[in-house]
Amino acid sequence: LSSFMLLGACQKKEYHKEPLVVFQETNKIKDFYNSIKEIKIVSLENDDHFLGSRCDLIYDKGDYFIVDVPNNHLYRYDTNGHFACEYGRFGRGPGEFRNILNIQIIDDTVVIYSVPEMTALHYDRDGNYLRTETQKINGVQFYIVDNGILAFHGYGTSNCKVSLLTEGRQKDFYPYTSQVASFIDQGPIFTKNGKYVFVRDPYERTIYQYVDGQVKPRLSIDFGTYAISDSFFSLEYIESAEYMMEQDICFISRYCESSDYRLLEVKRPQNSSTYYGVSFKDKWIWFNAGTKKSCLDLDGIKDLVDDTLICLVEAPRLRQMDKELFAKIVNPEVLSEIEKVENDVIMMVRLREW
């Protein structure tokens, strides 16, 4: 659990009647390979902007926005993998930030969320600093919506999970009263599809959606024996921290949705496994990204756009690709340059219908 941040916590367990997805533990990846229609490889330009070990990615209008979380960098690469620009830098001056909590792309404006409280730095698409917006609200991550700003509080900074801040007024959703410790991973809490903004809570078995001023359940996951037990939420801080480190449990670490497809990323820290569930019109397939035959990094799938998974992988992984998968690459000539690549490589994995 070294990649999780320890925070104070409080939560009351809730159950919902939304659609239920059953988690399937598996060491297979064959079903995923069969679901792939084609693959495009995008080699990121080798320059002075080398990526750290824990990066995230948002794909928008043909561009790749890559967040280097440990090193506090945000880069944009164009559709061909050429470096375009960097947004801001670490510091305390205009256009500078103390850290990167999360980012958001709004039309041609790029927003970096940082501290103290809520600090939102706005840049144009070319990296030029525009302005800084601040709000007196604490949170783990933030997201601008039509009628305000959503804040996910994590645990220990508020008495609710999510708040909507509108013109100085705060509307709270899902209050809690327990006092447990929380391991909050660094993946995206908020993702979007059309008018819906989805909210992921690492402790919860439920994905929430925000629309029209309300936060409601979208779907729930049945983790079976890997679910956090109900008794956990009555533990004290130290006891709950010990529980999280000792028990074999699963977390939802990423959720994305398009019109027909959904993506769930699930982490099982006890055996360092990452599982993915991908659905087409609610028909789910599950696979393990850590198998020897996988060319994916353990948490390599970063985004879902229409029918395409956007993956960020280490270049040496592509050398493990078997013949079946290699045959689906539409630009195999790029692989001849992999030996020279020091940055990560992007895989655009287009899915079939099933």
mmCIF file with all atom_site columns, all heavy atoms in Angstrom, residues 311-328:
data_model
loop_
_atom_site.group_PDB
_atom_site.id
_atom_site.type_symbol
_atom_site.label_atom_id
_atom_site.label_alt_id
_atom_site.label_comp_id
_atom_site.label_asym_id
_atom_site.label_entity_id
_atom_site.label_seq_id
_atom_site.pdbx_PDB_ins_code
_atom_site.Cartn_x
_atom_site.Cartn_y
_atom_site.Cartn_z
_atom_site.occupancy
_atom_site.B_iso_or_equiv
_atom_site.pdbx_formal_charge
_atom_site.auth_seq_id
_atom_site.auth_comp_id
_atom_site.auth_asym_id
_atom_site.auth_atom_id
_atom_site.pdbx_PDB_model_num
ATOM 1   N N   . CYS A 1 311 ? -3.850 3.670   -23.413 1.00 0.00 ? 311 CYS A N   1
ATOM 2   C CA  . CYS A 1 311 ? -2.933 3.003   -22.489 1.00 0.00 ? 311 CYS A CA  1
ATOM 3   C C   . CYS A 1 311 ? -1.562 3.687   -22.523 1.00 0.00 ? 311 CYS A C   1
ATOM 4   O O   . CYS A 1 311 ? -1.094 4.111   -23.582 1.00 0.00 ? 311 CYS A O   1
ATOM 5   C CB  . CYS A 1 311 ? -2.766 1.536   -22.859 1.00 0.00 ? 311 CYS A CB  1
ATOM 6   S SG  . CYS A 1 311 ? -4.329 0.647   -23.079 1.00 0.00 ? 311 CYS A SG  1
ATOM 7   N N   . LEU A 1 312 ? -0.928 3.747   -21.374 1.00 0.00 ? 312 LEU A N   1
ATOM 8   C CA  . LEU A 1 312 ? 0.419  4.289   -21.248 1.00 0.00 ? 312 LEU A CA  1
ATOM 9   C C   . LEU A 1 312 ? 1.300  3.165   -20.725 1.00 0.00 ? 312 LEU A C   1
ATOM 10  O O   . LEU A 1 312 ? 1.119  2.693   -19.598 1.00 0.00 ? 312 LEU A O   1
ATOM 11  C CB  . LEU A 1 312 ? 0.424  5.478   -20.285 1.00 0.00 ? 312 LEU A CB  1
ATOM 12  C CG  . LEU A 1 312 ? 1.707  6.312   -20.175 1.00 0.00 ? 312 LEU A CG  1
ATOM 13  C CD1 . LEU A 1 312 ? 2.013  6.991   -21.508 1.00 0.00 ? 312 LEU A CD1 1
ATOM 14  C CD2 . LEU A 1 312 ? 1.571  7.360   -19.076 1.00 0.00 ? 312 LEU A CD2 1
ATOM 15  N N   . VAL A 1 313 ? 2.248  2.716   -21.543 1.00 0.00 ? 313 VAL A N   1
ATOM 16  C CA  . VAL A 1 313 ? 3.045  1.535   -21.186 1.00 0.00 ? 313 VAL A CA  1
ATOM 17  C C   . VAL A 1 313 ? 4.531  1.820   -21.377 1.00 0.00 ? 313 VAL A C   1
ATOM 18  O O   . VAL A 1 313 ? 4.930  2.677   -22.177 1.00 0.00 ? 313 VAL A O   1
ATOM 19  C CB  . VAL A 1 313 ? 2.642  0.302   -22.031 1.00 0.00 ? 313 VAL A CB  1
ATOM 20  C CG1 . VAL A 1 313 ? 1.181  -0.039  -21.832 1.00 0.00 ? 313 VAL A CG1 1
ATOM 21  C CG2 . VAL A 1 313 ? 2.922  0.540   -23.505 1.00 0.00 ? 313 VAL A CG2 1
ATOM 22  N N   . GLU A 1 314 ? 5.339  1.089   -20.645 1.00 0.00 ? 314 GLU A N   1
ATOM 23  C CA  . GLU A 1 314 ? 6.782  1.166   -20.830 1.00 0.00 ? 314 GLU A CA  1
ATOM 24  C C   . GLU A 1 314 ? 7.142  0.486   -22.146 1.00 0.00 ? 314 GLU A C   1
ATOM 25  O O   . GLU A 1 314 ? 6.640  -0.581  -22.475 1.00 0.00 ? 314 GLU A O   1
ATOM 26  C CB  . GLU A 1 314 ? 7.494  0.497   -19.665 1.00 0.00 ? 314 GLU A CB  1
ATOM 27  C CG  . GLU A 1 314 ? 7.261  1.181   -18.326 1.00 0.00 ? 314 GLU A CG  1
ATOM 28  C CD  . GLU A 1 314 ? 7.924  0.438   -17.189 1.00 0.00 ? 314 GLU A CD  1
ATOM 29  O OE1 . GLU A 1 314 ? 8.483  -0.653  -17.447 1.00 0.00 ? 314 GLU A OE1 1
ATOM 30  O OE2 . GLU A 1 314 ? 7.879  0.936   -16.048 1.00 0.00 ? 314 GLU A OE2 1
ATOM 31  N N   . ALA A 1 315 ? 8.051  1.107   -22.895 1.00 0.00 ? 315 ALA A N   1
ATOM 32  C CA  . ALA A 1 315 ? 8.414  0.586   -24.211 1.00 0.00 ? 315 ALA A CA  1
ATOM 33  C C   . ALA A 1 315 ? 8.865  -0.873  -24.185 1.00 0.00 ? 315 ALA A C   1
ATOM 34  O O   . ALA A 1 315 ? 8.489  -1.655  -25.076 1.00 0.00 ? 315 ALA A O   1
ATOM 35  C CB  . ALA A 1 315 ? 9.493  1.468   -24.835 1.00 0.00 ? 315 ALA A CB  1
ATOM 36  N N   . PRO A 1 316 ? 9.665  -1.320  -23.196 1.00 0.00 ? 316 PRO A N   1
ATOM 37  C CA  . PRO A 1 316 ? 10.094 -2.728  -23.201 1.00 0.00 ? 316 PRO A CA  1
ATOM 38  C C   . PRO A 1 316 ? 8.937  -3.724  -23.153 1.00 0.00 ? 316 PRO A C   1
ATOM 39  O O   . PRO A 1 316 ? 9.087  -4.866  -23.602 1.00 0.00 ? 316 PRO A O   1
ATOM 40  C CB  . PRO A 1 316 ? 10.956 -2.832  -21.934 1.00 0.00 ? 316 PRO A CB  1
ATOM 41  C CG  . PRO A 1 316 ? 11.469 -1.447  -21.721 1.00 0.00 ? 316 PRO A CG  1
ATOM 42  C CD  . PRO A 1 316 ? 10.337 -0.558  -22.135 1.00 0.00 ? 316 PRO A CD  1
ATOM 43  N N   . ARG A 1 317 ? 7.773  -3.300  -22.627 1.00 0.00 ? 317 ARG A N   1
ATOM 44  C CA  . ARG A 1 317 ? 6.621  -4.197  -22.562 1.00 0.00 ? 317 ARG A CA  1
ATOM 45  C C   . ARG A 1 317 ? 6.174  -4.646  -23.955 1.00 0.00 ? 317 ARG A C   1
ATOM 46  O O   . ARG A 1 317 ? 5.668  -5.756  -24.130 1.00 0.00 ? 317 ARG A O   1
ATOM 47  C CB  . ARG A 1 317 ? 5.455  -3.498  -21.877 1.00 0.00 ? 317 ARG A CB  1
ATOM 48  C CG  . ARG A 1 317 ? 5.590  -3.383  -20.381 1.00 0.00 ? 317 ARG A CG  1
ATOM 49  C CD  . ARG A 1 317 ? 5.010  -4.604  -19.713 1.00 0.00 ? 317 ARG A CD  1
ATOM 50  N NE  . ARG A 1 317 ? 5.014  -4.492  -18.270 1.00 0.00 ? 317 ARG A NE  1
ATOM 51  C CZ  . ARG A 1 317 ? 4.517  -5.412  -17.461 1.00 0.00 ? 317 ARG A CZ  1
ATOM 52  N NH1 . ARG A 1 317 ? 3.976  -6.503  -17.963 1.00 0.00 ? 317 ARG A NH1 1
ATOM 53  N NH2 . ARG A 1 317 ? 4.560  -5.261  -16.168 1.00 0.00 ? 317 ARG A NH2 1
ATOM 54  N N   . LEU A 1 318 ? 6.345  -3.775  -24.950 1.00 0.00 ? 318 LEU A N   1
ATOM 55  C CA  . LEU A 1 318 ? 5.878  -4.106  -26.290 1.00 0.00 ? 318 LEU A CA  1
ATOM 56  C C   . LEU A 1 318 ? 6.683  -5.243  -26.898 1.00 0.00 ? 318 LEU A C   1
ATOM 57  O O   . LEU A 1 318 ? 6.216  -5.927  -27.806 1.00 0.00 ? 318 LEU A O   1
ATOM 58  C CB  . LEU A 1 318 ? 5.942  -2.869  -27.183 1.00 0.00 ? 318 LEU A CB  1
ATOM 59  C CG  . LEU A 1 318 ? 5.051  -1.690  -26.761 1.00 0.00 ? 318 LEU A CG  1
ATOM 60  C CD1 . LEU A 1 318 ? 5.129  -0.576  -27.786 1.00 0.00 ? 318 LEU A CD1 1
ATOM 61  C CD2 . LEU A 1 318 ? 3.616  -2.130  -26.580 1.00 0.00 ? 318 LEU A CD2 1
ATOM 62  N N   . ARG A 1 319 ? 7.893  -5.454  -26.392 1.00 0.00 ? 319 ARG A N   1
ATOM 63  C CA  . ARG A 1 319 ? 8.708  -6.555  -26.907 1.00 0.00 ? 319 ARG A CA  1
ATOM 64  C C   . ARG A 1 319 ? 8.160  -7.906  -26.457 1.00 0.00 ? 319 ARG A C   1
ATOM 65  O O   . ARG A 1 319 ? 8.550  -8.943  -26.976 1.00 0.00 ? 319 ARG A O   1
ATOM 66  C CB  . ARG A 1 319 ? 10.156 -6.379  -26.457 1.00 0.00 ? 319 ARG A CB  1
ATOM 67  C CG  . ARG A 1 319 ? 10.763 -5.035  -26.874 1.00 0.00 ? 319 ARG A CG  1
ATOM 68  C CD  . ARG A 1 319 ? 12.217 -4.936  -26.514 1.00 0.00 ? 319 ARG A CD  1
ATOM 69  N NE  . ARG A 1 319 ? 12.679 -3.557  -26.636 1.00 0.00 ? 319 ARG A NE  1
ATOM 70  C CZ  . ARG A 1 319 ? 13.104 -2.816  -25.616 1.00 0.00 ? 319 ARG A CZ  1
ATOM 71  N NH1 . ARG A 1 319 ? 13.145 -3.333  -24.403 1.00 0.00 ? 319 ARG A NH1 1
ATOM 72  N NH2 . ARG A 1 319 ? 13.499 -1.576  -25.804 1.00 0.00 ? 319 ARG A NH2 1
ATOM 73  N N   . GLN A 1 320 ? 7.261  -7.898  -25.447 1.00 0.00 ? 320 GLN A N   1
ATOM 74  C CA  . GLN A 1 320 ? 6.653  -9.139  -24.965 1.00 0.00 ? 320 GLN A CA  1
ATOM 75  C C   . GLN A 1 320 ? 5.392  -9.513  -25.751 1.00 0.00 ? 320 GLN A C   1
ATOM 76  O O   . GLN A 1 320 ? 4.804  -10.560 -25.514 1.00 0.00 ? 320 GLN A O   1
ATOM 77  C CB  . GLN A 1 320 ? 6.275  -8.990  -23.489 1.00 0.00 ? 320 GLN A CB  1
ATOM 78  C CG  . GLN A 1 320 ? 7.425  -8.640  -22.585 1.00 0.00 ? 320 GLN A CG  1
ATOM 79  C CD  . GLN A 1 320 ? 6.968  -8.404  -21.154 1.00 0.00 ? 320 GLN A CD  1
ATOM 80  O OE1 . GLN A 1 320 ? 5.823  -8.652  -20.815 1.00 0.00 ? 320 GLN A OE1 1
ATOM 81  N NE2 . GLN A 1 320 ? 7.866  -7.921  -20.322 1.00 0.00 ? 320 GLN A NE2 1
ATOM 82  N N   . MET A 1 321 ? 5.002  -8.662  -26.675 1.00 0.00 ? 321 MET A N   1
ATOM 83  C CA  . MET A 1 321 ? 3.745  -8.854  -27.390 1.00 0.00 ? 321 MET A CA  1
ATOM 84  C C   . MET A 1 321 ? 3.764  -10.143 -28.207 1.00 0.00 ? 321 MET A C   1
ATOM 85  O O   . MET A 1 321 ? 4.707  -10.401 -28.959 1.00 0.00 ? 321 MET A O   1
ATOM 86  C CB  . MET A 1 321 ? 3.501  -7.646  -28.295 1.00 0.00 ? 321 MET A CB  1
ATOM 87  C CG  . MET A 1 321 ? 2.141  -7.626  -28.959 1.00 0.00 ? 321 MET A CG  1
ATOM 88  S SD  . MET A 1 321 ? 1.894  -6.121  -29.935 1.00 0.00 ? 321 MET A SD  1
ATOM 89  C CE  . MET A 1 321 ? 1.853  -4.866  -28.665 1.00 0.00 ? 321 MET A CE  1
ATOM 90  N N   . ASP A 1 322 ? 2.722  -10.961 -28.039 1.00 0.00 ? 322 ASP A N   1
ATOM 91  C CA  . ASP A 1 322 ? 2.677  -12.213 -28.799 1.00 0.00 ? 322 ASP A CA  1
ATOM 92  C C   . ASP A 1 322 ? 2.157  -11.962 -30.218 1.00 0.00 ? 322 ASP A C   1
ATOM 93  O O   . ASP A 1 322 ? 1.686  -10.881 -30.548 1.00 0.00 ? 322 ASP A O   1
ATOM 94  C CB  . ASP A 1 322 ? 1.837  -13.268 -28.071 1.00 0.00 ? 322 ASP A CB  1
ATOM 95  C CG  . ASP A 1 322 ? 0.401  -12.813 -27.843 1.00 0.00 ? 322 ASP A CG  1
ATOM 96  O OD1 . ASP A 1 322 ? -0.115 -12.032 -28.661 1.00 0.00 ? 322 ASP A OD1 1
ATOM 97  O OD2 . ASP A 1 322 ? -0.209 -13.261 -26.857 1.00 0.00 ? 322 ASP A OD2 1
ATOM 98  N N   . LYS A 1 323 ? 2.253  -12.996 -31.059 1.00 0.00 ? 323 LYS A N   1
ATOM 99  C CA  . LYS A 1 323 ? 1.929  -12.843 -32.481 1.00 0.00 ? 323 LYS A CA  1
ATOM 100 C C   . LYS A 1 323 ? 0.467  -12.462 -32.700 1.00 0.00 ? 323 LYS A C   1
ATOM 101 O O   . LYS A 1 323 ? 0.144  -11.694 -33.608 1.00 0.00 ? 323 LYS A O   1
ATOM 102 C CB  . LYS A 1 323 ? 2.249  -14.144 -33.215 1.00 0.00 ? 323 LYS A CB  1
ATOM 103 C CG  . LYS A 1 323 ? 3.731  -14.471 -33.257 1.00 0.00 ? 323 LYS A CG  1
ATOM 104 C CD  . LYS A 1 323 ? 3.975  -15.768 -34.011 1.00 0.00 ? 323 LYS A CD  1
ATOM 105 C CE  . LYS A 1 323 ? 5.462  -16.092 -34.065 1.00 0.00 ? 323 LYS A CE  1
ATOM 106 N NZ  . LYS A 1 323 ? 5.722  -17.371 -34.787 1.00 0.00 ? 323 LYS A NZ  1
ATOM 107 N N   . GLU A 1 324 ? -0.421 -13.007 -31.879 1.00 0.00 ? 324 GLU A N   1
ATOM 108 C CA  . GLU A 1 324 ? -1.848 -12.727 -32.033 1.00 0.00 ? 324 GLU A CA  1
ATOM 109 C C   . GLU A 1 324 ? -2.141 -11.250 -31.862 1.00 0.00 ? 324 GLU A C   1
ATOM 110 O O   . GLU A 1 324 ? -2.916 -10.654 -32.613 1.00 0.00 ? 324 GLU A O   1
ATOM 111 C CB  . GLU A 1 324 ? -2.644 -13.544 -31.015 1.00 0.00 ? 324 GLU A CB  1
ATOM 112 C CG  . GLU A 1 324 ? -4.141 -13.299 -31.063 1.00 0.00 ? 324 GLU A CG  1
ATOM 113 C CD  . GLU A 1 324 ? -4.880 -14.054 -29.973 1.00 0.00 ? 324 GLU A CD  1
ATOM 114 O OE1 . GLU A 1 324 ? -4.225 -14.770 -29.201 1.00 0.00 ? 324 GLU A OE1 1
ATOM 115 O OE2 . GLU A 1 324 ? -6.115 -13.910 -29.907 1.00 0.00 ? 324 GLU A OE2 1
ATOM 116 N N   . LEU A 1 325 ? -1.510 -10.642 -30.861 1.00 0.00 ? 325 LEU A N   1
ATOM 117 C CA  . LEU A 1 325 ? -1.735 -9.225  -30.607 1.00 0.00 ? 325 LEU A CA  1
ATOM 118 C C   . LEU A 1 325 ? -0.983 -8.364  -31.621 1.00 0.00 ? 325 LEU A C   1
ATOM 119 O O   . LEU A 1 325 ? -1.490 -7.337  -32.073 1.00 0.00 ? 325 LEU A O   1
ATOM 120 C CB  . LEU A 1 325 ? -1.294 -8.882  -29.182 1.00 0.00 ? 325 LEU A CB  1
ATOM 121 C CG  . LEU A 1 325 ? -1.935 -7.645  -28.554 1.00 0.00 ? 325 LEU A CG  1
ATOM 122 C CD1 . LEU A 1 325 ? -3.444 -7.795  -28.496 1.00 0.00 ? 325 LEU A CD1 1
ATOM 123 C CD2 . LEU A 1 325 ? -1.370 -7.399  -27.169 1.00 0.00 ? 325 LEU A CD2 1
ATOM 124 N N   . PHE A 1 326 ? 0.212  -8.782  -31.983 1.00 0.00 ? 326 PHE A N   1
ATOM 125 C CA  . PHE A 1 326 ? 1.013  -8.042  -32.954 1.00 0.00 ? 326 PHE A CA  1
ATOM 126 C C   . PHE A 1 326 ? 0.259  -7.871  -34.275 1.00 0.00 ? 326 PHE A C   1
ATOM 127 O O   . PHE A 1 326 ? 0.354  -6.828  -34.926 1.00 0.00 ? 326 PHE A O   1
ATOM 128 C CB  . PHE A 1 326 ? 2.337  -8.768  -33.195 1.00 0.00 ? 326 PHE A CB  1
ATOM 129 C CG  . PHE A 1 326 ? 3.257  -8.057  -34.134 1.00 0.00 ? 326 PHE A CG  1
ATOM 130 C CD1 . PHE A 1 326 ? 4.135  -7.091  -33.677 1.00 0.00 ? 326 PHE A CD1 1
ATOM 131 C CD2 . PHE A 1 326 ? 3.240  -8.346  -35.494 1.00 0.00 ? 326 PHE A CD2 1
ATOM 132 C CE1 . PHE A 1 326 ? 4.978  -6.422  -34.559 1.00 0.00 ? 326 PHE A CE1 1
ATOM 133 C CE2 . PHE A 1 326 ? 4.081  -7.690  -36.377 1.00 0.00 ? 326 PHE A CE2 1
ATOM 134 C CZ  . PHE A 1 326 ? 4.958  -6.720  -35.909 1.00 0.00 ? 326 PHE A CZ  1
ATOM 135 N N   . ALA A 1 327 ? -0.509 -8.897  -34.644 1.00 0.00 ? 327 ALA A N   1
ATOM 136 C CA  . ALA A 1 327 ? -1.234 -8.852  -35.917 1.00 0.00 ? 327 ALA A CA  1
ATOM 137 C C   . ALA A 1 327 ? -2.308 -7.771  -35.934 1.00 0.00 ? 327 ALA A C   1
ATOM 138 O O   . ALA A 1 327 ? -2.793 -7.387  -37.000 1.00 0.00 ? 327 ALA A O   1
ATOM 139 C CB  . ALA A 1 327 ? -1.862 -10.221 -36.199 1.00 0.00 ? 327 ALA A CB  1
ATOM 140 N N   . LYS A 1 328 ? -2.684 -7.252  -34.766 1.00 0.00 ? 328 LYS A N   1
ATOM 141 C CA  . LYS A 1 328 ? -3.730 -6.234  -34.691 1.00 0.00 ? 328 LYS A CA  1
ATOM 142 C C   . LYS A 1 328 ? -3.181 -4.807  -34.730 1.00 0.00 ? 328 LYS A C   1
ATOM 143 O O   . LYS A 1 328 ? -3.956 -3.846  -34.724 1.00 0.00 ? 328 LYS A O   1
ATOM 144 C CB  . LYS A 1 328 ? -4.559 -6.441  -33.422 1.00 0.00 ? 328 LYS A CB  1
ATOM 145 C CG  . LYS A 1 328 ? -5.262 -7.799  -33.395 1.00 0.00 ? 328 LYS A CG  1
ATOM 146 C CD  . LYS A 1 328 ? -6.153 -7.969  -32.191 1.00 0.00 ? 328 LYS A CD  1
ATOM 147 C CE  . LYS A 1 328 ? -6.833 -9.333  -32.221 1.00 0.00 ? 328 LYS A CE  1
ATOM 148 N NZ  . LYS A 1 328 ? -7.805 -9.529  -31.127 1.00 0.00 ? 328 LYS A NZ  1
#
